[in-house]
């Protein structure tokens, strides 16, 4: 069997900018910041006291109360985003025949898993005097449980697993789903990532390693990728999901096609646990491999949704890699970081930002990188600062990198029949 084309027919997003794809995209084009002082717990004594939390999210608006209680927030988020993607793809899983469900996989991960559950159950175990914890402790904790729960909810019995690669998780899971469909193993898949680390332990942990911004007096302007005065990322939470299908499967059922997945590239820095290779060597490999598998030349790319976390080292290293791979064309590209608005969604980042890429192509507009004030000489590309930019977009690239030196690049194209 020749390799099949893979297309996107559904999207779902749960973000600090809004609880649906449309709400997220409208806020992103408006340059809205999702950052504010933390409301879900008392963060006053922490080094960083703000984050990008989900606005007005109540799990029981989407799930029955019993099911919601038996899921960590990261899993709740995953189910909501996945359900939007399935419905957006035009499916009602209750009416789908089982032979179709058997050919649909769920490849969906989390960078960290049930951090809130881990914190609460550990605190209970140590301080309550009891020798037991909840019987749901382990099922609520493990990062792969989101993929399992999505499959249970919809009855999808195709391959089911979770790639865990920190902040590269979303892109890695999309890449695995892409390859399984391309080689004919399955006809479709729900894929993406989720995380819910705006918890006291999560904020304390990332702050302790000096990864987070400390602009506690001005949260809305704290995430400032590529700006000279960036001082760390802003923690976010949420989930993103894509529904991928083979082109022939989508066309046979008359599905609306939103984009095509053209290629993926993956690599390792093999450099440091948390710091990027300052020369961008691993990222360069991932970018080149993505272009190669997509059959694209550097000059074919119109826009890059950068990993762009707003850390001093990371933004400079990513810029260096882009310039090495794209040469003079690097200055003709639009680059932007939607993390300037959503914060860093960790395992959900790649999936949510893939949705931003698809929406950008559909509307021919590049979402902005907000909060720019002063140029950094090490970051000298067109980062689409502060305002969206209209531009014809045919092929775009989405970067996602993770602690441990994991690098992923995903090439997406406007669909051409």
């Amino acid at each position: 069997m020749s390799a099949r084309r893979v297309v996107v027919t559904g999207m779902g997003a749960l973000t600090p900018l809004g609880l649906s794809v449309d709400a997220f995209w409208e806020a992103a084009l408006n340059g809205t910041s999702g950052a504010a002082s933390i409301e879900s717990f008392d963060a006053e004594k922490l080094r960083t006291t703000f984050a990008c939390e989900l606005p007005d999210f109540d799990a029981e608006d989407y799930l029955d109360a019993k099911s919601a209680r038996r899921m960590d927030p990261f899993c709740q988020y995953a189910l909501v985003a996945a359900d939007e993607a399935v419905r957006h793809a035009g499916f009602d899983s209750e009416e789908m025949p089982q032979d179709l469900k058997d050919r649909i996989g769920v490849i969906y991960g989390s960078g960290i898993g049930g951090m809130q559950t881990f914190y609460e159950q550990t605190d209970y175990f140590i301080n309550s005097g009891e020798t037991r914890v909840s019987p749901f402790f382990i099922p609520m904790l493990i990062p792969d449980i989101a993929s399992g729960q999505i499959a249970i909810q919809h009855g999808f019995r195709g391959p089911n697993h979770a790639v865990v690669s920190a902040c590269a998780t979303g892109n890695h899971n999309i890449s695995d789903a892409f390859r399984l469909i391309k080689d004919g193993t399955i006809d479709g898949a729900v894929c993406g990532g989720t995380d819910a680390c705006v918890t006291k332990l999560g904020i304390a942990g990332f702050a302790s390693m000096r990864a987070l911004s400390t602009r506690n007096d001005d949260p809305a302007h704290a995430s400032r990728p590529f700006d000279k005065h960036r001082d760390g990322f802003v923690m976010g939470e949420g989930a993103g999901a894509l529904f991928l299908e083979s082109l022939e499967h989508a066309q046979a059922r008359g599905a609306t096609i939103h984009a095509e997945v053209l290629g993926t590239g993956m690599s390792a820095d093999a450099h440091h646990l948390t710091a990027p290779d300052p020369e961008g060597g691993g990222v360069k490999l991932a970018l080149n491999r993505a272009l190669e598998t997509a059959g694209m030349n550097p000059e074919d790319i119109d826009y890059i949704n950068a990993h762009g976390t707003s850390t001093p080292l990371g933004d400079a290293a990513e810029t260096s890699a882009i310039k090495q791979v794209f040469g003079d064309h690097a200055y003709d590209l639009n680059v932007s970081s939607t993390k300037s608005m959503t914060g860093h969604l960790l395992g959900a980042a790649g999936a949510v930002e893939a949705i931003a890429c698809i929406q950008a192509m559909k509307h021919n507009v590049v979402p902005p990188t907000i909060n720019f004030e002063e140029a950094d000489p090490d970051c000298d590309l067109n980062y689409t600062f502060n305002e969206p930019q209209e531009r014809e977009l045919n092929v775009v690239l989405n970067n996602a990198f993770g602690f441990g030196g994991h690098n992923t690049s995903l090439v997406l194209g406007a669909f051409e029949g």
Side-chain angles (χ1 to χ4, degrees):
M1 177 185 294
S2 61
R4 303 192 295 177
R5 293 171 67 182
V6 179
V7 296
V8 180
T9 56
M11 299 178 285
L14 201 65
T15 81
L17 303 187
L19 305 184
S20 68
V21 169
D22 289 344
F24 158 63
W25 181 243
E26 180 179 1
L29 287 186
N30 288 331
T32 305
S33 171
S37 296
I38 292 170
E39 296 184 355
S40 56
F41 60 88
D42 182 3
E44 182 179 359
K45 295 182 180 179
L46 297 180
R47 187 169 184 268
T48 294
T49 62
F50 62 94
C52 291
E53 298 178 280
L54 292 185
D56 303 318
F57 177 77
D58 184 343
E60 293 184 23
D61 290 341
Y62 306 90
L63 306 165
D64 68 83
K66 183 177 180 181
S67 296
R69 286 195 303 270
R70 294 179 176 181
M71 295 180 196
D72 186 89
F74 91 98
C75 192
Q76 296 171 356
Y77 301 168
L79 262 69
V80 173
D83 186 64
E84 183 184 12
V86 171
R87 288 185 287 104
H88 188 224
F91 286 115
D92 181 341
S93 56
E94 292 185 359
E95 297 182 358
M96 293 170 66
Q98 191 59 57
D99 61 341
L100 174 56
K101 293 182 181 183
D102 291 350
R103 298 278 300 172
I104 296 176
V106 181
I107 318 298
Y108 200 97
S110 171
I112 295 181
M115 180 168 276
Q116 182 66 28
T117 295
F118 182 83
Y119 176 78
E120 291 174 350
Q121 291 297 306
T122 300
D123 180 69
Y124 175 80
F125 186 74
I126 292 172
N127 296 312
S128 70
E130 298 288 337
T131 58
R132 296 187 305 154
V133 294
S134 167
F136 296 100
F137 173 39
I138 298 302
M140 290 171 67
L141 169 72
I142 52 180
D144 67 297
I145 205 66
S147 63
Q149 289 277 27
I150 293 167
I152 291 167
Q153 181 181 32
H154 295 283
F156 297 151
R157 298 200 305 196
N160 187 286
H161 65 263
V163 181
V164 177
S165 53
C167 308
T169 291
N171 264 12
H172 266 136
N173 284 276
I174 295 169
S175 296
D176 271 19
F178 165 69
R179 291 167 185 266
L180 286 168
I181 297 168
K182 190 175 182 68
D183 72 13
T185 301
I186 51 178
D187 295 322
V190 177
C191 54
T194 179
D195 257 320
C197 295
V198 182
T199 68
K200 184 172 286 190
L201 188 61
I203 297 295
F206 280 97
S208 179
M209 62 189 295
R210 300 297 192 265
L212 299 183
S213 170
T214 56
R215 292 176 182 268
N216 295 318
D217 59 340
D218 190 15
H221 297 93
S223 185
R224 48 181 60 223
F226 309 108
D227 181 87
K228 183 177 180 178
H229 301 292
R230 62 193 184 274
D231 71 326
F233 72 79
V234 177
M235 182 76 80
E237 60 182 356
L242 299 181
F243 196 97
L244 305 186
E245 292 180 72
S246 69
L247 174 60
E248 48 271 3
H249 190 270
Q251 289 179 327
R253 67 183 189 87
T256 299
I257 295 172
H258 303 285
E260 182 170 3
V261 184
L262 299 174
T264 66
M266 295 172 274
S267 72
D269 275 355
H271 171 72
H272 187 273
L273 283 177
T274 57
D277 175 355
E279 303 301 321
V283 172
K284 179 181 175 181
L285 282 174
L287 288 168
N288 278 325
R289 288 168 178 168
L291 292 171
E292 181 181 357
T293 62
M296 293 288 164
N297 296 313
E299 58 271 20
D300 294 323
I301 304 299
D302 301 310
Y303 163 56
I304 297 176
N305 189 300
H307 187 58
T309 58
S310 190
T311 60
L313 295 178
D315 292 1
E318 184 173 12
T319 297
S320 175
I322 291 171
K323 289 194 286 189
Q324 290 176 65
V325 171
F326 290 92
D328 291 342
H329 183 62
Y331 295 91
D332 296 326
L333 290 162
N334 274 80
V335 179
S336 74
S337 173
T338 45
K339 289 185 181 71
S340 60
M341 297 174 282
T342 65
H344 194 349
L345 306 184
L346 305 184
V352 168
E353 289 155 19
I355 291 169
C357 287
I358 294 166
Q359 292 290 83
M361 285 190 293
K362 289 178 66 176
H363 299 282
N364 286 309
V365 59
V366 178
T369 305
I370 66 169
N371 295 329
F372 170 73
E373 292 180 353
E374 186 172 350
D376 179 345
D378 291 329
C379 299
D380 60 346
L381 302 178
N382 174 11
Y383 301 105
T384 322
F385 283 132
N386 295 332
E387 297 289 338
Q389 182 177 330
E390 292 185 1
R391 172 175 179 162
E392 184 178 351
L393 300 173
N394 295 306
V395 185
V396 304
L397 192 146
N398 181 36
N399 281 340
F401 316 136
F403 284 171
H406 312 297
N407 304 308
T408 60
S409 295
L410 182 70
V411 180
L412 299 159
F415 175 69
E416 298 180 3

